[in-house]
């Protein structure tokens, strides 16, 4: 084990920062940065030009790399839950202490940093970094409340409360043929890498399983796992292709093993090894629409902003609440299996509450035979105050 201690003091020279710059400049394998700020000009330039496995975690107001896929945001000034870590992993070197990589901190403050070479210590920091990066990647620069989830439940550890899932969607055209033995085939048109975060919901908590990377036991009481699923979809309808007619086996043989589950750290390593870590984003197919457009988006993921709850009714297990915007209104159906109960909903969201929500429009057939559009809420965290 090797430990070097560095101090910064107010003034124009910073031995600490100069030594960090030197390590960044000559990095050969990896550069992991977890900081509130990354605003020191020369460090920024070195980081941008550094051609290694580069991953960065920052606060939401502490960076300039807004569109860089190597950067995730896991601290929020709005929620007063800050990314307060101050460490860097450069190859087999760990820098940790009080120093932010900003002009003010390096020139004006009293700070300390330690430069450590120790495999077990670095591995502990790297494991935590990977967990945070995977959660930040799935959140896609949105923030979580540090005390209470949007489902209303208080939590003590986000890794025990949030399910993290990633999907690779392949959209393909179906092409018919005159051959009775092979009546059709698919041509791939586009791919989407989707990430999402949902809260731990009764009925949807995964059973005890083992990580496909390290073999570690993953269970709901300790740390929820991450899932990766590859889904073939029809290009025209945007619907998922079902497993009938041996579609998956015949036309998408690479989907023979569709579902993988990892601990958070191994999910990072799996995506990193597969070259997919930069490609995920949160549901871009959540299309922002108005209530009047619902019938045109049947079966698709949609988002409604600043709509008003007017009333709600309950029947055994399930319930419906109504939302309005201007002169338009629509019902939102909530299934008991979603984990959102009527009592909890009614305590939190009163008539007159203005909310944002994500939902799937579908066609509801009344007893009279009339068909009207209605929305279905999938997760409790898909509704929040606007």
């Amino acid at each position: 084990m090797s430990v070097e201690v560095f101090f910064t003091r107010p003034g124009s020279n910073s031995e600490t920062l100069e030594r960090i710059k030197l390590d960044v400049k000559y990095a050969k394998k990896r550069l992991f940065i977890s900081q509130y700020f990354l605003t020191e000009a020369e460090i920024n330039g070195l980081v941008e030009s550094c051609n290694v496995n580069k991953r960065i975690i920052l606060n939401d107001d502490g960076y300039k790399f807004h569109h860089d896929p190597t950067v995730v945001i896991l601290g929020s000034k709005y929620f007063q839950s800050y990314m307060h870590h101050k460490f860097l992993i450069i190859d087999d070197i760990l820098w940790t202490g009080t120093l932010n990589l900003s002009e003010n901190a390096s020139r004006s403050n009293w700070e300390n940093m330690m430069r450590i070479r120790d495999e077990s210590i670095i591995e502990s920091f790297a494991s935590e970094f990977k967990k945070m990066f995977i959660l930040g990647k799935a959140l896609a620069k949105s923030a979580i409340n540090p005390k209470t989830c949007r489902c209303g439940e208080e939590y003590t550890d986000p890794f025990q409360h949030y399910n993290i899932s990633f999907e690779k969607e392949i959209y393909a055209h179906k092409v018919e043929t005159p051959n009775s033995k092979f009546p059709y085939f698919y041509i791939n048109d586009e791919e989407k890498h989707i990430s999402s975060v949902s809260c731990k919901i009764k009925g949807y908590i995964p059973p005890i399983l083992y990580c496909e990377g390290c073999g570690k036991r993953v269970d709901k009481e300790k740390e929820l796992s991450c899932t990766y699923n590859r889904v073939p979809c029809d290009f025209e309808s945007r619907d998922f292709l079902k497993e009938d007619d041996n579609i998956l086996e015949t036309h998408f043989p690479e989907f023979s093993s569709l579902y993988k589950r990892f601990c958070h750290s191994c999910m990072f390593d799996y995506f990193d090894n597969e070259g997919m870590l930069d490609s995920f984003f949160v549901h871009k197919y959540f299309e922002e629409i108005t209530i009047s457009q619902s019938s045109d988006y049947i079966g698709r993921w949609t988002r409604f902003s600043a709509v008003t709850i007017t009333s709600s009714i309950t029947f055994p297990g399930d319930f419906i609440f109504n939302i309005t915007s201007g002169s338009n209104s629509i019902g939102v159906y909530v299934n008991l299996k979603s984990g959102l109960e009527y009592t909890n909903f009614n305590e939190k969201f009163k008539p007159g509450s203005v909310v944002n929500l994500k939902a799937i429009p579908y066609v509801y057939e009344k007893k009279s035979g009339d068909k009207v559009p209605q929305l279905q809420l999938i997760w409790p965290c898909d509704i929040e105050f606007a």
Side-chain angles (χ1 to χ4, degrees):
M1 179 177 180
S2 170
V3 180
E4 299 173 74
V5 180
F6 293 79
F7 298 98
T8 68
R9 306 175 184 95
S12 59
N13 295 319
S14 175
E15 178 190 1
T16 310
L17 194 61
E18 294 307 312
R19 191 68 182 87
I20 292 173
K21 290 175 182 176
L22 200 62
D23 284 342
V24 171
K25 182 177 181 179
Y26 291 104
K28 291 181 171 57
K29 296 182 297 182
R30 64 179 175 179
L31 174 60
F32 294 170
I33 300 175
S34 182
Q35 290 260 320
Y36 188 117
F37 290 109
L38 186 55
T39 55
E40 204 277 338
E42 193 172 346
I43 279 283
N44 276 347
L46 289 170
V47 169
E48 287 182 331
S49 62
C50 189
N51 190 25
V52 296
N53 184 10
K54 179 171 57 183
R55 306 292 164 198
I56 303 167
I57 304 172
L58 298 170
N59 210 68
D60 57 7
D61 62 337
Y63 74 112
K64 73 170 194 173
F65 308 101
H66 286 268
H67 304 292
D68 192 326
T70 66
V71 177
V72 302
I73 303 304
L74 205 57
S76 170
K77 189 176 182 180
Y78 173 79
F79 281 123
Q80 294 187 330
S81 172
Y82 303 111
M83 176 44 59
H84 221 254
H85 281 307
K86 299 169 183 68
F87 71 85
L88 302 86
I89 299 173
I90 309 169
D91 295 339
D92 57 353
I93 299 167
L94 169 67
W95 282 93
T96 183
T98 67
L99 180 67
N100 273 314
L101 298 180
S102 65
E103 296 282 358
N104 187 62
S106 61
R107 309 299 183 194
S108 305
N109 295 350
W110 302 86
E111 308 277 4
N112 71 82
M113 291 292 276
M114 291 186 291
R115 186 177 185 269
I116 300 172
R117 287 179 178 268
D118 181 274
E119 186 176 349
S120 63
I121 294 176
I122 293 173
E123 180 54 36
S124 294
F125 274 82
S127 177
E128 183 67 13
F129 182 93
K130 292 173 182 179
K131 293 176 185 179
M132 293 190 298
F133 192 90
I134 282 294
L135 178 58
K137 177 63 73 170
L139 287 167
K141 297 184 174 64
S142 61
I144 56 175
N145 189 315
K147 299 174 183 177
T148 306
C149 177
R150 287 176 291 183
C151 70
E153 180 181 340
E154 293 185 358
Y155 62 89
T156 57
D157 186 340
F159 293 117
Q160 292 180 15
H161 185 78
Y162 290 102
N163 287 311
I164 303 173
S165 63
F166 297 87
E167 289 181 352
K168 178 181 180 181
E169 296 182 355
I170 293 185
Y171 290 84
H173 270 106
K174 184 177 182 180
V175 180
E176 296 183 353
T177 75
N179 189 328
S180 59
K181 189 175 182 180
F182 301 101
Y184 60 88
F185 61 91
Y186 282 91
I187 299 177
N188 290 356
D189 289 285
E190 64 178 88
E191 295 183 1
K192 285 186 178 181
H193 291 79
I194 310 297
S195 64
S196 62
V197 175
S198 61
C199 59
K200 181 175 66 177
I201 303 167
K202 66 178 182 179
Y204 284 90
I205 301 173
I208 295 173
L209 293 167
Y210 293 86
C211 171
E212 295 196 32
C214 64
K216 183 182 76 173
R217 178 186 172 104
V218 181
D219 68 78
K220 64 184 181 183
E221 300 302 328
K222 296 179 182 178
E223 182 178 283
L224 293 182
S225 56
C226 302
T227 57
Y228 173 54
N229 196 11
R230 292 171 295 175
V231 183
C233 307
D234 182 78
F235 184 84
E236 300 295 339
S237 67
R238 320 302 285 181
D239 291 333
F240 297 151
L241 294 173
K242 308 301 181 183
E243 294 191 43
D244 53 356
D245 299 328
N246 296 316
I247 285 178
L248 299 187
E249 181 180 347
T250 305
H251 302 282
F252 299 92
E254 72 274 22
F255 284 79
S256 57
S257 177
L258 289 174
Y259 196 78
K260 293 183 180 291
R261 190 180 295 277
F262 297 90
C263 67
H264 297 85
S265 183
C266 285
M267 180 65 89
F268 178 101
D269 291 335
Y270 175 76
F271 283 154
D272 204 20
N273 292 336
E274 295 293 320
M276 297 189 295
L277 202 53
D278 294 339
S279 58
F280 286 93
F281 49 83
V282 161
H283 293 294
K284 282 198 174 177
Y285 57 78
F286 272 115
E287 299 175 76
E288 183 79 30
I289 67 170
T290 62
I291 292 175
S292 62
Q293 295 175 304
S294 298
S295 58
D296 297 326
Y297 288 83
I298 299 300
R300 292 158 69 175
W301 292 93
T302 56
R303 185 177 187 275
F304 301 81
S305 295
V307 292
T308 303
I309 294 176
T310 55
S311 61
S312 58
I313 59 172
T314 182
F315 36 96
D318 308 335
F319 68 94
I320 292 176
F321 64 92
N322 294 307
I323 58 172
T324 64
S325 179
S327 60
N328 298 301
S329 65
I330 195 169
V332 183
Y333 170 72
V334 184
N335 190 288
L336 177 64
K337 292 181 179 180
S338 72
L340 184 60
E341 297 179 350
Y342 178 74
T343 302
N344 295 334
F345 173 85
N346 212 31
E347 287 176 353
K348 185 175 182 181
F349 299 104
K350 306 292 185 183
S353 297
V354 180
V355 299
N356 301 324
L357 67 88
K358 299 170 184 174
I360 300 176
Y362 70 100
V363 176
Y364 171 68
E365 186 171 352
K366 297 182 175 180
K367 291 182 179 179
S368 63
D370 294 337
K371 295 181 179 180
V372 296
Q374 192 162 280
L375 306 178
Q376 180 164 355
L377 193 77
I378 304 299
W379 304 105
C381 56
D382 286 342
I383 180 171
E384 60 183 348
F385 288 107

